[in-house]
Every structure is written in structure tokens, then in C-alpha cells.
Amino acid sequence: MAGGYDTDIVTRLETNLDDLSPEITGAVMEKLLAAGALDVWFTPIQMKKSRPAVQLSVLCEEARAESLADIIFTETSAFGLRMEKIARLKLERRFETVTTKFGDISVKLGLKQGRIIQTAPEFASCLSASERTGQPLRAIYAAALAAYAAQP
Amino acid sequence: MAGGYDTDIVTRLETNLDDLSPEITGAVMEKLLAAGALDVWFTPIQMKKSRPAVQLSVLCEEARAESLADIIFTETSAFGLRMEKIARLKLERRFETVTTKFGDISVKLGLKQGRIIQTAPEFASCLSASERTGQPLRAIYAAALAAYAAQP
Amino acid sequence: MAGGYDTDIVTRLETNLDDLSPEITGAVMEKLLAAGALDVWFTPIQMKKSRPAVQLSVLCEEARAESLADIIFTETSAFGLRMEKIARLKLERRFETVTTKFGDISVKLGLKQGRIIQTAPEFASCLSASERTGQPLRAIYAAALAAYAAQP
Amino acid sequence: MAGGYDTDIVTRLETNLDDLSPEITGAVMEKLLAAGALDVWFTPIQMKKSRPAVQLSVLCEEARAESLADIIFTETSAFGLRMEKIARLKLERRFETVTTKFGDISVKLGLKQGRIIQTAPEFASCLSASERTGQPLRAIYAAALAAYAAQP
Amino acid sequence: MAGGYDTDIVTRLETNLDDLSPEITGAVMEKLLAAGALDVWFTPIQMKKSRPAVQLSVLCEEARAESLADIIFTETSAFGLRMEKIARLKLERRFETVTTKFGDISVKLGLKQGRIIQTAPEFASCLSASERTGQPLRAIYAAALAAYAAQP
Amino acid sequence: MAGGYDTDIVTRLETNLDDLSPEITGAVMEKLLAAGALDVWFTPIQMKKSRPAVQLSVLCEEARAESLADIIFTETSAFGLRMEKIARLKLERRFETVTTKFGDISVKLGLKQGRIIQTAPEFASCLSASERTGQPLRAIYAAALAAYAAQP
């Protein structure tokens, strides 16, 4: 199935961590993102012997899987790692800049077959406007959405 | 501390459910809300003997605590219930209606000492506009925020 | 491996939502179920930049995957979607009606090679008996199980 | 508010653990229960610096709070501990034995002002019947509920 | 991709449980581990109709998948089960014994191409030292790591 | 109860967020910590209408409660906030420096009535040693614990 969407194949690495301090688990997220992971996330899980553990999930391009696996084995307590190839459907991405009273904000657009079906103010752009103006992040988001909607 | 906020005292009821089917737990939420609870929520917890259990929390006015406790004892597997009085700080609430291309939408405003510091399109109002027009709920929210922002 | 079970192949769609209001996420569940999803569920996850996010998972027949993907891309903030084909083992299902003092209740039976290995009072049937009689859902379930067990 | 319920005051101890291995966290649950805690549970939480951490909660009689605090400080990585007194509403408990084809099973009854409003087969009693007969725990529970319901 | 790691293929069984008491869910974990599962874990999920449910995940060798599926269908409320084959990367394992003031402790080493990249005191070995000496598990772990680090 | 522990009274602020994007929720954590909160954490909760929501919890000195409440009301979607005073038991803290092959590391000691019952390598100190040497954080922690244990 493609259905008008862009597609690709990515690799998902997963492991269950039941003997690693959360301090260290948290620091590993940064290392994996810095090394090129597309996404990294933690899921709370419950393992044997009443252990409140964590599942680490990493999404990456296949070419990066080996170097990211090396990081996981070196930096965490994992002795094993699950590896799956997964198809993805994706919107085409385009960026536009809108002008608000808080300054220019970048807006990410998602397109299916040339039609815009997603509009999302860029987090980094909103955050810097928030820091520059001292206004709440929520106000920046709302202004960016309003500015985009008001375009001809 | 009040600091310019409205305040009141509410009661929080809590119990840990480790022997109730989630089907029934889910249905209890509706009953408690229908009986006047201010808020009801579930927190996933891990109890003894590897039980993936649920903490049920209910926030209510003190005058309702007894009848809501009756519902919990009758409808769930609880043999005990924790009960605490808790102070709340609150924004003053006011409602306004904005006009969008999807129709009129109600917007909830939160005020501190007469100054508006919160703006939230009303879920029920957005949902009915979404159902009426067939447009995504997100588009309705964005339009309501934009319409509110565009007011003189 | 079949091992005496019915089998089929289903599609699982998944995406991580880190920029969608829970109000909207909740409403999407209904839309996906109404559009024919076999199952929809949320998993709390923790993403980068301290975001308390949600993984949306949808199980569906392959023929529905495209129309459900369209709903996800239109109604949520997803720019990408993971798609996997997964084998399922299933019990054969059969329904029976038992008579209780709360009225007739439907019971769902699960069979492996003709032998009943699962017995579950139907939620909808129990709920309507509970609403009709004003009795707790748990009492209805217990009565249905007892009535089924008492059959010759 | 008592409303016909038994009441008492218990102590809740809580601490957030962000630098303890889940292996050790799991083992602490046993120690706290063995030392007289009324209940012990874990809640998955997300702390600063992307740490997937755990809140440890202990419910105990006030007289036990100090010795349980000693265990937490000795066995976990906690440098601080929150301590609250909480009122509880409780059902009166009574036990009965019912006879099933799997043997005798203990059933826990919960009473409000002498009226039975809760019926729960005892886990330990069901587990030992399950181990003795090789039958699923669910079947034992259903049989116990059915036997209780069939009483004159 | 192997990248110097041992690899194998395992089977993951998964099902969403929304009508099983956590007491019974907890007991199933033991049964699955006793029947040879490599790993068993629970993930809190949120299903339709406000149900705070649980995803049961089992990792096993393919040859065990059928007998473990039988246990899940018999002991839980599942009417269906997802089954996937998943590649794993693994470190080579080796065990060493270190001498501490709390007695001898077994340490698990993880090797990639003959090089040690993981060092983990064995939980069972540390627990028995803790029970034997009355010292905190954390102190035993630290002593084992220190003894291993002090080796020539 | 003090039992030889230091004690103080802190304020806990809590609110349930069911209409805020996780992107914004994540950014609020930083703001609250920067404004002097003692601790900030998120708990995944399930609210009405199938909303996968988040409970925000803030621990602070009473004198800071008002300014932190202002941040929450300004930066999040909260219209109300629960506020409780909670007693804390605390270990006395002391810091020591140990010398390892990765450089000097700060170790935090927790004392009860002058006796050391907690030993924890400082995260920031370990992280900077890890960045300086390129060695895994886990190795730094182990070395710091070993160096502390080897002291006369």
C-alpha cells in the first residue's frame, strides 16, 4: 500500500532495560539522537521479579543500525537487542515562514499528492520566539497558526 | 497562598484496583462523572505479585464524597478508599463565542484578577463543528484560536 | 505455527504523537473505530526534549489500512506512520445466551479445535442489563458466569 | 465523613527514584511488604533530563512509618521521602468458604453496615486450588463466584 | 547486519488484555516464565471505552511458541494473539566469580568479538549475598563492581 | 515522627493536563526547574473521553509556590491547580571527591545521625568525566563507586 504517500523502510531497535539507572538511561537518549537516530523513545514496562523497567526503542536508517547498536551495547546494560525492518508512510514536507507580532515563525507543512493536510508551527522556531519575547510558547503557537490561516 | 487566584477546597478519593477487569473499570468512570465527580482519572501502577494494576482517582466537592464513595465500593473491587482534602487555585472562567468559517465556536477564557491568561476553544463546541462540517477537529481548534486572536 | 488455531494476517499502523492535544487524540480513537479498525490503543511513551507523548496503535485488515492511514494523517499531527503485517492466532468464536435473575445475557465462547477454552460475558449485554436493573456490572458478570457454569 | 464505613488514618510514604536499577527497586517491594507495609506500589514517572523514573509509594500504619522509612533510605537511592497522613474508608471484612468442584475456596466479603456489597474469591486460596488441580485460575474464580451465588 | 554480534531469530507473542483481573494477569507471568519463555513483560495501554488495559508480551524460541500460546489462551481472556519473528543481536556471555567482603559474587560479562563491553553482577548471586549478610543489595552490587574493577 | 532524620515542609502543586501538546508540556519542565522548583515530574494518566493525558507535579518551597503557580497558569492549559503541604524526611548531605582513572569524581553521601547510609556518584560530575574521556557513563559510575569503596 502506498496510497499517494511517500514510503521508505526503516530499522527499529528495541531492548528491555531492567538493570540500568534512569539517570544513565536518560543520558543515552541524547547520545543516540546525536549519532543520527531518527527517533528514540522510552516505554514504561513491568518485567519479572516486580521490576519497573523501561523499553528503549530507536528508529533509524538501516545504514545506521550497526553504529547505534554499538552505542546501546556500550552505554546501557543490554545483552540483547531486537531488530526489525518496518515500512513507513510519510507526508511530503515543506516549510513556510509566517509573520506574527512575535516575529517570523517557521511552519512545517505536510502534503499528500501536493495537497496540504498538515500544518505545524516548528518547535525550535516557536521556542526561540518565546525566549526572545518572553511570551508563553502556547501564545506563539496560536499566533503562528492564526497567521498561517490568515494567508490569502 | 492565594496570589490573586480563586480558591476552594475539594476532596480527592483514591483506591488501587488490582482485581477488577479493565472493562468494568472503564465503565465506572462514566458512572462517577454522571454522579457529579469534578474529575476522574486512572494511573497505571505496579502492585505486589507482578500485578499491572490501576489507581482510580476522583476529585469532588466535599458534599459529594459520600455518594461517590458508595459508587466506588459498589461498582469496583475496592475494600478501602483514601480520602484527602486539597486546596485548589483556580482561574476565573468566562466564555466567548467567535465566528469561523466552520461556524460559531465557544472559547473558554481563564482570568487572573481580571486579566485573560488562558484561551481554550471548548472541546464540545469544536467537536460539534467538526461533525457538522466533516472537517478535522484540529482545523476547528486552529480556526477558533485564529478568530479569537483576530478580534480587535 | 498454527497448532489448531485459526490464523489470519492483519496490519498494524503506529505513530508517535508528541504535538497533539490529548483532547484531540482521544477523539481520534472513536473515528478510527467507526471507520472499521479492529483495535485502537494508546501507549504512554517518553520522547526527546522531555515530552510525555503517546504512541497510537491501530490493528486493521490490510484492505482498510489506506483509509485508516488517511484518517491518522488528517486528524492527528503525524507526518509519518509505521506499517507492519502481523500474523494472528485466533480462537473460533461462538455466542450463547444464558438466563440470569438480571435477564438474558450473551456469553462469548472461544474454541480451539471444537473445545471451549474461553468463556466471557459480553460487555454490551452486561452493560444493558446493568442499566436496565440498576445493578452493578460486576454482579451481572458474576451471575452470567454462574449461569453458564450451572448449565448441564 | 464516615457514612457508615469503618475509618482509620494511615501514613503514605513516597519518593521518586531516578538513580536506582529496576532490579533493586523490584527487590525493595518484597522487603517493605515483609516489614509490615499495608501496600506498596510503583508508578512510572518522567523526571528531568529525560529520566524514565519510578515513584515508590508505601501505605502503612503510623507506628510502622519510621522502620519502613529506614528500609527505604537504606535499600534505595532516596535522599528524601514525602510523608502524609491520609484518612481511609473501609468495608468491614468477613470470610466464608464455598465448595466447588475444584475444592473449597475462601471468599472475602465486604460489608457496609452489615450489608454485603463486595464478594471476592481470595487470591491465595484460588491459586492453591489452581496448583492442586492444574486448572486455570480464571476457572477457579468463576467457580467460586458461582458457588457463592448459588448459596441459599 | 551482524556487525560482530551473535544473532538469532525469536518469536514475540503479544495480546491486549482488557477484561482480565490484574491478579490473574500477574499470575500468568510466572506460568509463562516457568514454561520456558525467554522474557515476559506488561505494558500499560489505554483501550476503547476508557479501559486501562495491559499489553502482554512474550519473547520465546520459535519451538516454544505453540505451547506458550496455549497457556495464554487458557489462562488469560485473550481471543487472539499477534505473532512476529524478530532478529536479535546478542553479546556473547561469560561468567566470572569475584571475591568481596560479602562473599563470592558471580559477575556476568558481555563480549563483542572477544572484547568485554558489559559487566553486570548477577542478581540472584547478589540477592543471596544480601540475604546471607543482611546488607543492602546496593552495597553488594557496588562491592562486586569494585572487586571486578580491582582485578589485575 | 522524625526518627533521626532532618525534616522540612514542602508544597506540592499538581494539575491534570488534557489539552496541551506534549511539545509544550516538555518545555514547561525546564521553565519550572529554572524558576526554582525542587522537583518536577510527569505521570501518564487516562482521563475522560479517552484522553491520554499527563499529570504535572511540582515540589517546591512554600515561598516559591505562588511564582511557580503563575508559570503553570501562564504556560500550560491548566484552569486549576491542586496545592498540598507535605512533610519530608531527609538525609543530611555531604560531598566527597574520589580519584579514578577517569579523573576526579564527586560523590554525594547521605547521612542519618552522622552515619553514612547512601553513596551516589554525582550525575553532573560523571557526565563531564564521560564527555572528557569518551568512556561510557556506566564505567565512570562503577569506577567512582570502586574508588569510594577502596578508601581506608
Side-chain angles (χ1 to χ4, degrees):
Chain A
M1 179 193 106
Y5 295 104
D6 290 352
T7 60
D8 63 4
I9 304 287
V10 292
T11 298
R12 180 171 60 197
L13 304 173
E14 277 184 354
T15 192
N16 298 353
L17 299 170
D18 71 356
D19 61 341
L20 190 64
S21 155
E23 274 191 354
I24 297 179
T25 309
V28 170
M29 183 182 268
E30 287 308 311
K31 292 214 172 181
L32 292 165
L33 289 167
L38 297 169
D39 204 357
V40 180
W41 68 98
F42 302 138
T43 308
I45 60 173
Q46 179 179 334
M47 292 177 68
K48 66 178 176 184
K49 297 182 194 290
S50 292
R51 295 170 186 165
V54 173
Q55 183 180 269
L56 164 65
S57 301
V58 178
L59 216 64
C60 63
E61 293 161 18
E62 190 179 356
R64 296 247 192 218
E66 183 171 341
S67 61
L68 293 170
D70 283 349
I71 291 174
I72 296 172
F73 279 123
T74 307
E75 301 284 341
T76 79
S77 55
F79 273 72
L81 205 51
R82 298 186 291 279
M83 190 169 51
E84 297 169 272
K85 289 187 189 168
I86 300 180
R88 275 202 309 182
L89 300 183
K90 297 189 302 181
L91 298 182
E92 184 195 338
R93 293 167 186 230
R94 188 188 304 162
F95 291 88
E96 281 191 22
T97 299
V98 296
T99 301
T100 74
K101 64 179 167 178
F102 306 117
D104 284 0
I105 306 287
S106 174
V107 174
K108 186 170 64 166
L109 308 175
L111 297 89
K112 181 185 177 186
Q113 296 179 307
R115 195 168 58 85
I116 296 170
I117 62 174
Q118 288 272 10
T119 316
E122 272 261 282
F123 177 75
S125 176
C126 292
L127 185 63
S128 85
S130 171
E131 289 170 351
R132 196 171 55 234
T133 62
Q135 294 303 303
L137 204 40
R138 300 171 67 226
I140 315 287
Y141 270 79
L145 284 173
Y148 184 80
Q151 284 180 331
Chain B
M1 180 192 103
Y5 296 103
D6 289 353
T7 59
D8 63 3
I9 303 287
V10 291
T11 298
R12 181 170 60 197
L13 304 173
E14 278 184 353
T15 190
N16 297 353
L17 299 170
D18 72 356
D19 61 342
L20 190 64
S21 155
E23 275 191 353
I24 297 177
T25 310
V28 170
M29 184 183 268
E30 288 308 311
K31 292 215 173 181
L32 291 165
L33 289 167
L38 298 170
D39 204 356
V40 180
W41 67 99
F42 301 139
T43 308
I45 60 172
Q46 179 180 332
M47 292 176 69
K48 66 178 177 184
K49 298 183 194 290
S50 294
R51 294 171 187 165
V54 174
Q55 182 181 271
L56 164 66
S57 302
V58 178
L59 216 63
C60 64
E61 291 159 20
E62 189 178 0
R64 297 246 190 218
E66 181 171 343
S67 61
L68 293 170
D70 283 348
I71 291 175
I72 295 172
F73 279 122
T74 309
E75 302 284 341
T76 79
S77 54
F79 273 72
L81 205 52
R82 299 185 290 278
M83 191 169 50
E84 297 168 272
K85 289 188 190 169
I86 301 179
R88 274 202 310 180
L89 301 184
K90 297 189 301 181
L91 298 183
E92 183 195 338
R93 294 169 184 229
R94 188 187 305 161
F95 292 88
E96 282 192 20
T97 300
V98 296
T99 302
T100 74
K101 63 178 169 178
F102 307 116
D104 284 0
I105 306 288
S106 175
V107 174
K108 186 170 64 167
L109 307 175
L111 297 88
K112 181 184 177 184
Q113 295 178 306
R115 195 168 57 86
I116 295 170
I117 63 172
Q118 288 272 8
T119 317
E122 271 261 284
F123 177 75
S125 176
C126 292
L127 185 63
S128 86
S130 172
E131 289 169 353
R132 195 171 57 234
T133 63
Q135 294 303 302
L137 204 40
R138 300 171 68 227
I140 315 288
Y141 271 79
L145 285 173
Y148 183 80
Q151 284 179 331
Chain C
M1 179 193 105
Y5 295 103
D6 290 353
T7 60
D8 63 4
I9 304 287
V10 291
T11 297
R12 181 172 58 198
L13 303 173
E14 276 184 355
T15 192
N16 297 353
L17 299 170
D18 70 357
D19 60 343
L20 190 65
S21 155
E23 274 191 356
I24 297 179
T25 310
V28 170
M29 183 182 267
E30 287 309 310
K31 292 216 171 178
L32 291 165
L33 289 167
L38 297 170
D39 205 356
V40 180
W41 67 99
F42 301 139
T43 309
I45 61 173
Q46 181 180 331
M47 292 177 69
K48 65 179 176 184
K49 298 182 194 289
S50 294
R51 294 171 187 165
V54 174
Q55 182 180 269
L56 163 66
S57 303
V58 178
L59 216 63
C60 64
E61 291 160 19
E62 189 179 357
R64 297 244 190 220
E66 183 172 341
S67 61
L68 294 170
D70 283 348
I71 291 175
I72 295 171
F73 280 121
T74 307
E75 301 284 341
T76 79
S77 55
F79 273 72
L81 205 50
R82 299 185 291 278
M83 189 170 51
E84 298 168 272
K85 290 188 189 170
I86 301 180
R88 274 203 310 182
L89 301 184
K90 298 190 299 182
L91 297 183
E92 185 195 336
R93 292 167 186 232
R94 189 187 303 162
F95 292 88
E96 281 191 23
T97 299
V98 296
T99 301
T100 74
K101 63 178 168 178
F102 306 116
D104 285 358
I105 306 288
S106 174
V107 174
K108 185 169 65 165
L109 308 175
L111 298 88
K112 180 184 178 186
Q113 297 180 307
R115 195 167 58 86
I116 295 168
I117 63 174
Q118 288 272 10
T119 316
E122 272 260 283
F123 176 75
S125 176
C126 291
L127 185 63
S128 86
S130 171
E131 289 168 352
R132 196 170 55 235
T133 62
Q135 294 303 303
L137 204 40
R138 300 171 68 226
I140 314 288
Y141 270 80
L145 284 173
Y148 183 80
Q151 284 180 329
Chain D
M1 178 193 107
Y5 296 103
D6 290 353
T7 59
D8 63 6
I9 304 287
V10 290
T11 298
R12 180 171 60 196
L13 304 173
E14 276 184 354
T15 191
N16 297 353
L17 299 170
D18 71 356
D19 61 341
L20 190 64
S21 155
E23 275 190 355
I24 297 178
T25 310
V28 169
M29 183 183 268
E30 288 308 311
K31 291 215 174 180
L32 291 165
L33 289 166
L38 296 170
D39 204 356
V40 180
W41 67 98
F42 302 139
T43 308
I45 61 172
Q46 179 179 333
M47 294 177 67
K48 66 178 177 186
K49 298 182 195 289
S50 293
R51 294 170 187 167
V54 174
Q55 184 181 268
L56 163 66
S57 302
V58 177
L59 216 64
C60 64
E61 292 160 18
E62 190 179 358
R64 297 246 191 219
E66 181 171 343
S67 61
L68 293 170
D70 283 348
I71 291 176
I72 295 172
F73 279 122
T74 308
E75 301 284 340
T76 80
S77 54
F79 273 72
L81 205 52
R82 300 185 289 278
M83 191 168 52
E84 297 168 273
K85 289 187 189 170
I86 301 178
R88 275 201 308 182
L89 301 184
K90 297 188 303 181
L91 298 183
E92 183 195 339
R93 294 167 184 231
R94 188 188 305 162
F95 292 87
E96 281 192 21
T97 299
V98 297
T99 302
T100 74
K101 62 177 170 179
F102 307 116
D104 284 1
I105 306 287
S106 174
V107 174
K108 185 170 66 168
L109 307 176
L111 296 88
K112 181 184 178 186
Q113 297 180 305
R115 195 169 57 85
I116 295 170
I117 63 174
Q118 288 271 9
T119 319
E122 272 260 285
F123 177 75
S125 177
C126 291
L127 185 63
S128 86
S130 172
E131 288 170 351
R132 195 171 58 235
T133 62
Q135 293 303 303
L137 204 40
R138 300 171 67 226
I140 314 288
Y141 270 80
L145 285 173
Y148 183 81
Q151 284 180 331
Chain E
M1 180 194 104
Y5 296 103
D6 290 352
T7 60
D8 63 4
I9 304 288
V10 292
T11 298
R12 180 172 58 199
L13 304 173
E14 278 184 353
T15 192
N16 297 353
L17 299 171
D18 70 357
D19 61 342
L20 190 64
S21 156
E23 274 191 355
I24 297 179
T25 309
V28 170
M29 183 182 267
E30 287 308 311
K31 291 215 172 179
L32 292 165
L33 288 167
L38 297 169
D39 205 356
V40 180
W41 68 99
F42 302 138
T43 308
I45 60 173
Q46 179 178 334
M47 292 177 69
K48 66 178 175 185
K49 297 181 194 292
S50 293
R51 294 171 186 164
V54 174
Q55 183 182 268
L56 163 65
S57 302
V58 178
L59 215 64
C60 64
E61 292 161 17
E62 189 180 357
R64 297 245 191 220
E66 183 172 341
S67 61
L68 293 170
D70 283 349
I71 291 175
I72 295 171
F73 279 122
T74 308
E75 301 284 341
T76 79
S77 54
F79 273 72
L81 204 53
R82 300 185 290 280
M83 190 169 51
E84 298 169 273
K85 289 187 189 169
I86 301 180
R88 275 203 308 183
L89 301 184
K90 298 189 301 182
L91 298 182
E92 184 195 337
R93 293 168 185 231
R94 189 188 301 162
F95 292 88
E96 281 191 22
T97 299
V98 296
T99 301
T100 74
K101 64 178 168 178
F102 307 116
D104 284 0
I105 305 288
S106 175
V107 174
K108 185 169 66 165
L109 308 175
L111 297 90
K112 181 184 178 186
Q113 296 180 306
R115 195 168 59 86
I116 294 170
I117 63 174
Q118 288 272 9
T119 317
E122 272 261 283
F123 176 75
S125 176
C126 292
L127 185 63
S128 87
S130 171
E131 290 169 352
R132 196 171 56 235
T133 62
Q135 294 303 303
L137 204 40
R138 300 171 68 225
I140 314 287
Y141 270 79
L145 284 173
Y148 183 80
Q151 283 180 332
Chain F
M1 179 194 106
Y5 295 103
D6 289 353
T7 59
D8 63 5
I9 303 286
V10 291
T11 298
R12 182 171 59 198
L13 304 173
E14 276 184 353
T15 191
N16 297 354
L17 299 169
D18 72 356
D19 62 342
L20 190 64
S21 155
E23 274 191 354
I24 297 177
T25 310
V28 170
M29 184 183 268
E30 288 308 311
K31 291 216 173 178
L32 292 165
L33 289 167
L38 297 170
D39 204 357
V40 180
W41 67 99
F42 302 139
T43 307
I45 61 172
Q46 179 179 333
M47 293 177 68
K48 66 178 176 183
K49 298 182 194 290
S50 294
R51 294 171 187 165
V54 173
Q55 183 181 268
L56 164 65
S57 302
V58 177
L59 215 64
C60 64
E61 292 161 17
E62 190 178 358
R64 297 244 191 221
E66 183 172 342
S67 62
L68 293 170
D70 283 348
I71 291 176
I72 295 172
F73 279 121
T74 308
E75 302 283 341
T76 80
S77 54
F79 273 72
L81 205 52
R82 301 186 289 280
M83 190 169 51
E84 298 168 271
K85 289 187 189 169
I86 302 178
R88 275 201 309 181
L89 301 184
K90 298 189 302 181
L91 297 183
E92 183 196 338
R93 294 168 185 230
R94 188 187 305 162
F95 292 88
E96 282 191 21
T97 299
V98 296
T99 301
T100 74
K101 62 178 169 177
F102 307 116
D104 283 0
I105 306 288
S106 175
V107 174
K108 186 170 65 167
L109 307 176
L111 297 89
K112 180 184 178 185
Q113 297 178 305
R115 194 168 58 85
I116 295 169
I117 65 173
Q118 288 273 9
T119 318
E122 272 260 284
F123 177 75
S125 175
C126 292
L127 185 63
S128 85
S130 171
E131 288 169 352
R132 195 170 57 235
T133 62
Q135 294 302 304
L137 205 41
R138 302 171 67 227
I140 314 288
Y141 270 79
L145 285 173
Y148 183 80
Q151 284 179 330

